Amino acid sequence: MKPVEDVFLIVDVQYDFMPGGALAVAQGDEVVPVINRLAPAFSHVVLTQDWHPRSHVSFATNHAGRQPFEMMSLPYGEQVLWPVHCVQDTEGARLHRDLHGPQARLVIRKGHHQYVDSYSAFLEADRVTPTGLAGYLREVGAKRLWIAGLATDYCVAWTALDARAAGFGVIVIEDACRAIDLNGSLEKAWQDMRRAGVQRVQSEDVLKTKETTL
Ligand code: VGL
Ligand code: ZN
């Protein structure tokens, strides 16, 4: 089989990031129909799933006297402290039931090490521990990643930047993402992505140009 060079990477479309969820992203649920319209254009889909132990170092409740959304210095760097979210095997960690991409082959679970967070689907926050995704994508012949999901300024941006660093072409589909936007994080994320050569497109453009399956 000729390798398929384009992969649709769907990031963290999980209940805890939906309105009413533990770490709700405003309008997070609106990405689901957009992603469902895009998915049929891709023959190869990969999903990510934030997947933390309850004792995870990124949870404010695991640090006495700390509140969610504060910063904390950890051995690997500055970490945002989050509300408890996406705990392994809980409802909040499940992928949205309306998300439809039956051709998805791989789910990368990330943030599973107790003492290291992982926004990126490629490298954990210590910036040295790989998830294995780069190796997988290289082995199947992937060259370009089209990224959608939650949240634009955290897991989507970190994943896009690491994908560029790993040598992949990267296109982020803006209206198929929603952001947390904490202290200017969204603006900074787009700036970092632009500098790294990440393309920013809208789903309509993808659907217009990609009538054939990628
Ligand atoms: C995310 C914060 C903490 C994300 C995950 O999916 O963007 N953000 N964990
Ligand atoms: Zn998380």
Side-chain angles (χ1 to χ4, degrees):
M1 292 286 292
K2 191 169 149 291
V4 174
E5 298 193 347
D6 288 281
V7 170
F8 188 29
L9 184 60
I10 303 172
V11 175
D12 297 2
V13 182
Q14 294 166 262
Y15 284 108
D16 272 342
F17 299 124
M18 299 296 151
L23 177 40
V25 178
Q27 282 102 43
D29 52 337
E30 292 178 4
V31 304
V32 175
V34 183
I35 290 172
N36 288 348
R37 272 197 300 279
L38 289 162
F42 296 88
S43 61
H44 193 163
V45 176
V46 171
L47 303 162
T48 75
Q49 193 170 21
D50 213 36
W51 195 252
H52 302 305
R54 197 169 286 281
S55 56
H56 197 245
V57 71
S58 78
F59 296 165
T61 46
N62 292 327
H63 304 276
R66 295 303 194 119
Q67 296 302 316
F69 306 106
E70 286 179 15
M71 297 298 296
M72 182 171 181
S73 289
L74 292 179
Y76 57 79
E78 289 297 304
Q79 170 73 49
V80 181
L81 296 179
W82 300 108
V84 174
H85 67 277
C86 297
V87 172
Q88 295 166 355
D89 268 342
T90 61
E91 281 297 306
R94 288 181 54 192
L95 297 170
H96 197 295
R97 70 168 62 78
D98 297 333
L99 188 67
H100 188 64
Q103 73 277 48
R105 297 189 207 169
L106 175 74
V107 180
I108 283 276
R109 287 173 164 172
K110 59 185 181 56
H112 53 90
H113 286 128
Q114 180 180 358
Y115 293 109
V116 190
D117 203 0
S118 190
Y119 299 144
S120 164
F122 289 91
L123 272 188
E124 299 191 30
D126 61 4
R127 310 313 290 144
V128 290
T129 307
T131 63
L133 181 57
Y136 167 83
L137 292 171
R138 281 189 199 117
E139 195 167 15
V140 297
K143 299 269 190 275
R144 279 198 303 183
L145 301 184
W146 302 71
I147 307 181
L150 305 171
T152 321
D153 42 347
Y154 286 94
C155 291
V156 168
W158 284 60
T159 296
L161 292 169
D162 282 352
R164 288 294 297 146
F168 298 100
V170 179
I171 304 105
V172 170
I173 308 167
E174 184 173 13
D175 60 316
C177 303
R178 291 293 184 279
I180 294 173
D181 203 10
L182 197 61
N183 306 319
S185 55
L186 180 59
E187 170 102 22
K188 180 178 185 308
W190 280 119
Q191 215 176 70
D192 293 346
M193 288 193 280
R194 181 166 42 75
R195 287 196 189 116
V198 172
Q199 278 178 261
R200 177 178 184 173
V201 301
Q202 307 303 317
S203 60
E204 282 308 311
D205 305 327
V206 179
L207 293 168
K208 251 184 276 162
T209 52
K210 304 296 176 201
E211 261 132 45
T212 50
T213 300
L214 288 164

